[in-house]
Amino acid sequence: MFETLTPPETDQILRIMALYAADERPQKVDLGVGVYRTADGRTPVMAAVKQAEERIWQSQETKSYLGLAGDPGFHAVMRDLILGDTVPASRVAALATPGGTGAVRQILELTRNLTPDATVWISDPSWPNHSSIAGYLGLNLRLYRYYDPETGGLDRDGMMADLAEAKPGDVVLLHGCCHNPSGVELSLQDWRDVGALLQRTGAIPFVDIAYQGFGEGLEEDAAGTRILAGMLPEVLIAASCSKNFGLYRDRVGVAFAITADDETQAKAQATLAFLNRQNYSFPPDHGARVVETILTDPGLTEIWRTELREMREGMSATRQSIADALRAETSSDRFGFLASNRGMFSLIGATPEQVEALRDEHAIYVVGDGRMNIAGLTPDSIPYVARAVAQVMG
Ligand code: LMR
């Protein structure tokens, strides 16, 4: 029977990962999948994580099951990290999930169960798995304008015009910060304007926040999410600890449904827990416990915040260095936006042929849409990459 299977195409990020792994050229540079690297190209376990793991190892006496929604202590620290005191805990249904992707999946499944004919509005462009999961679940999809390749900035008017067409019950997916793949952010005023538009249309915001702390700072990166949470009765949130805690393979994520009142929260909480039961039963605990251990201990929190700040500042410095190197190579400010974008990614504006030429001729791996993982650059690779990009992109 299995011979009738047609394997689905893997998305372009995973394709690049596999091609990079198979490349034997020593000069190869991985600027594909979104993984943070130090100046010497490593992705180390964060010191705060190591210390938390040691404490857990010393003190944990059972690995017996917890609740279906995960540990309430983990929910609480993530709620504080993302929402601060914007909404009372009694209005927030929470679910621990395997990674941010698990949270995206559970929230879109909740959406489908609530409103099967809802349209999910996704930015053009977006992380490819957003539309993949929504489409897989049979939800309608609409792209809204977001990135303007002409200016390298936000197509604000296009975005507002498109989102004005959303209907009550539709879900508008927004990147909480560090837009993936463009690195183009909404200003605080943009967030307020989007909030007002959502109030008018009755569509529900769904914020995917996977890079909190990688843009301007922990509080700054959560500001947009908090604006929406303060303005609207219902908000959906998916968050990941893959990047800001470096817990990639431990799969740590959380889904929140902010509800209009406490009574509705109880319904949403029970429904989300049921979704966990149907998909994988109890969520993974180890990474979530690491996060909870860090965020409930002031000393560990301080170590973690310092490490995260160093990563963020390192990425800003890398952005400036690659922009400078490209200015020198191209004698133009054409790539100046690389310095002002935020987060791990930028779109360098390469055509598919140019992406291929970077790979084939220079062993430089960026994603097919021209997305470059800035955090994959090192002081050693920057001059090489700048020369190759200038050569290939003319
Ligand atoms: C990325 O965008 O590269 C990361 O979020 C990794 C992934 O799962 O695609």
Side-chain angles (χ1 to χ4, degrees):
M1 189 163 119
F2 298 129
E3 65 279 3
T4 61
L5 284 171
T6 312
E9 274 199 23
T10 55
D11 77 40
Q12 46 180 352
I13 298 171
L14 300 180
R15 214 156 46 232
I16 285 294
M17 271 176 95
L19 287 174
Y20 176 81
D23 191 336
E24 287 177 356
R25 290 173 289 179
Q27 75 275 29
K28 66 180 179 177
V29 186
D30 179 8
L31 305 178
V33 68
V35 170
Y36 174 81
R37 294 215 181 76
T38 55
D40 55 359
R42 292 172 308 115
T43 308
V45 180
M46 292 173 85
V49 168
K50 277 271 190 213
Q51 290 188 33
E53 286 186 314
E54 193 174 346
R55 286 190 199 180
I56 293 167
W57 180 75
Q58 295 281 2
S59 62
Q60 191 170 51
E61 281 175 351
T62 179
K63 285 189 184 283
S64 168
Y65 293 124
L66 277 167
L68 267 182
D71 188 340
F74 170 65
H75 302 163
V77 293
M78 291 303 290
R79 211 173 45 226
D80 285 351
L81 189 67
I82 298 165
L83 292 167
D85 55 10
T86 325
V87 265
S90 58
R91 278 182 48 211
V92 186
L95 193 67
T97 57
T101 308
V104 169
R105 163 73 194 225
Q106 300 298 61
I107 284 177
L108 289 176
E109 200 163 324
L110 177 72
T111 302
R112 200 249 335 248
N113 294 354
L114 266 174
T115 325
D117 60 351
T119 294
V120 181
W121 293 77
I122 295 177
S123 65
D124 182 16
S126 192
W127 182 53
N129 219 14
H130 284 149
S131 47
S132 178
I133 295 174
Y136 182 72
L137 288 169
L139 286 155
N140 302 315
L141 292 180
R142 286 276 301 268
L143 297 183
Y144 62 88
R145 282 169 281 175
Y146 186 88
Y147 172 71
D148 181 351
E150 292 302 315
T151 63
L154 181 69
D155 181 355
R156 193 177 183 289
D157 294 345
M159 173 177 81
M160 298 304 279
D162 290 345
L163 291 184
E165 290 180 29
K167 303 269 176 305
D170 282 359
V171 166
V172 173
L173 207 165
L174 297 143
H175 298 222
C177 61
C178 306
H179 184 264
N180 178 4
S182 72
V184 170
E185 301 288 68
L186 298 182
S187 69
L188 295 183
Q189 190 54 46
D190 293 333
W191 282 104
R192 284 190 279 269
D193 292 345
V194 168
L197 187 67
L198 290 164
Q199 280 172 334
R200 282 201 298 280
T201 60
I204 302 175
F206 170 16
V207 181
D208 184 1
I209 179 160
Y211 299 89
Q212 188 183 357
F214 269 36
E216 297 289 346
L218 281 167
E219 303 294 315
E220 293 86 339
D221 293 351
T225 311
R226 292 178 189 180
I227 286 173
L228 295 187
M231 289 177 77
L232 293 147
E234 295 182 338
V235 180
L236 297 163
I237 299 170
S240 167
C241 299
S242 293
K243 328 283 163 154
N244 53 6
F245 287 86
L247 285 165
Y248 305 89
R249 68 174 69 159
D250 282 336
R251 312 308 296 142
V252 191
V254 70
F256 291 127
I258 301 178
T259 60
D261 52 47
D262 302 10
E263 205 182 314
T264 321
Q265 186 274 355
K267 293 183 189 169
Q269 186 63 57
T271 309
L272 285 172
F274 173 79
L275 283 181
N276 260 8
R277 183 65 169 165
Q278 301 319 298
N279 283 320
Y280 38 74
S281 205
F282 299 90
D285 175 70
H286 178 75
R289 187 154 304 277
V290 167
V291 170
E292 186 183 336
T293 302
I294 293 171
L295 294 180
T296 49
D297 180 282
L300 286 182
T301 302
E302 193 45 41
I303 295 172
W304 170 68
R305 279 179 172 263
T306 304
E307 290 181 282
L308 185 60
R309 187 173 59 242
E310 283 165 8
M311 286 157 79
R312 177 170 65 248
E313 289 172 358
M315 278 183 285
S316 287
T318 302
R319 285 191 169 281
Q320 193 60 55
S321 304
I322 185 73
D324 290 347
L326 278 161
R327 187 173 301 117
E329 289 290 344
T330 60
S331 308
S332 79
D333 206 26
R334 188 176 152 200
F335 292 98
F337 63 89
L338 291 175
S340 51
N341 287 165
R342 281 293 166 263
M344 288 177 112
F345 309 116
S346 281
L347 290 169
I348 59 170
T351 62
E353 294 73 32
Q354 290 168 336
V355 167
E356 218 172 285
L358 282 171
R359 193 166 67 230
D360 293 349
E361 293 160 26
H362 302 278
I364 294 172
Y365 287 76
V366 299
V367 180
D369 55 1
R371 186 190 83 170
M372 179 182 276
N373 174 20
I374 300 291
L377 290 164
T378 63
D380 284 347
S381 66
I382 286 172
Y384 175 69
V385 170
R387 211 165 314 128
V389 167
Q391 195 180 317
V392 165
M393 295 182 65

